[in-house]
Amino acid sequence: MAVRTHVRTSKGFSLIELMIAVVFIMISMLALLTAIVTSMRTNLENDLRNTAIRLTNQTAEVLYALTYTDPELTDGTTHTRLAGNTTQNGKGFPFLTQTVRGSQQLYDIRWAVVSRTSNVKEVTITVTYMHRNKTATNTAVIYKHATT
């Protein structure tokens, strides 16, 4: 008596194999989408922070260019960059509203002046902005020397 062996010669995928492959592809695509969204969010936060740093640097440059006795450098005071202030605009202070990635972002620019010696003033510049209901701040300290 001959023993028969039944060899399956199927070609292609079964329905279960196809469904498992689709699930793996969907999980991979979801992970990739999450990575893309996180990357976009991080890039926007970096652009906002870089703009705050640029505004801090621009404010520092304007304050360096002012005379030692300018009213913007009055000892013991805190100054605020005011929107539409023609005197501050004329001195070259940066504008409060900046375009970041095609949308308008409002920044708050302040500086506090403290005399350290008779001819040196310490100026602390703070640029603040809101993103995703959180306040972010960039701070820098400069020293303004009286010219002799």
Side-chain angles (χ1 to χ4, degrees):
M1 190 171 351
V3 177
R4 289 187 181 179
T5 58
H6 183 57
V7 177
R8 183 176 172 191
T9 58
S10 65
K11 295 181 181 175
F13 296 102
S14 70
L15 184 58
I16 299 235
E17 292 170 328
L18 183 62
M19 288 175 55
I20 290 172
V22 167
V23 167
F24 280 132
I25 290 172
M26 288 176 57
I27 290 171
S28 300
M29 295 301 275
L30 183 61
L32 184 61
L33 181 62
T34 302
I36 290 171
V37 169
T38 301
S39 174
M40 290 173 63
R41 183 180 306 134
T42 301
N43 286 339
L44 175 60
E45 290 169 357
N46 288 339
D47 284 348
L48 292 169
R49 185 174 38 255
N50 287 341
T51 301
I53 292 168
R54 181 176 49 78
L55 292 173
T56 304
N57 289 338
Q58 288 175 346
T59 303
E61 289 175 10
V62 170
L63 293 173
Y64 274 133
L66 298 176
T67 63
Y68 188 76
T69 57
D70 190 282
E72 299 289 352
L73 293 169
T74 303
D75 180 34
T77 58
T78 299
H79 301 270
T80 302
R81 171 65 170 108
L82 302 171
N85 183 309
T86 55
T87 303
Q88 288 180 333
N89 290 347
K91 292 178 180 179
F93 283 99
F95 291 105
L96 299 175
T97 303
Q98 299 288 315
T99 302
V100 179
R101 292 199 173 215
S103 63
Q104 298 293 310
Q105 177 69 41
L106 182 64
Y107 289 85
D108 181 47
I109 304 172
R110 299 174 187 270
W111 57 97
V113 182
V114 177
S115 286
R116 290 299 172 201
T117 64
S118 61
N119 62 350
V120 175
K121 292 180 182 177
E122 178 184 272
V123 182
T124 304
I125 304 166
T126 305
V127 176
T128 307
Y129 62 97
M130 293 287 294
H131 177 62
R132 299 182 67 180
N133 297 324
K134 293 182 184 177
T135 302
T137 302
N138 184 62
T139 304
V141 176
I142 63 170
Y143 294 91
K144 177 72 176 175
H145 297 270
T147 56
T148 54

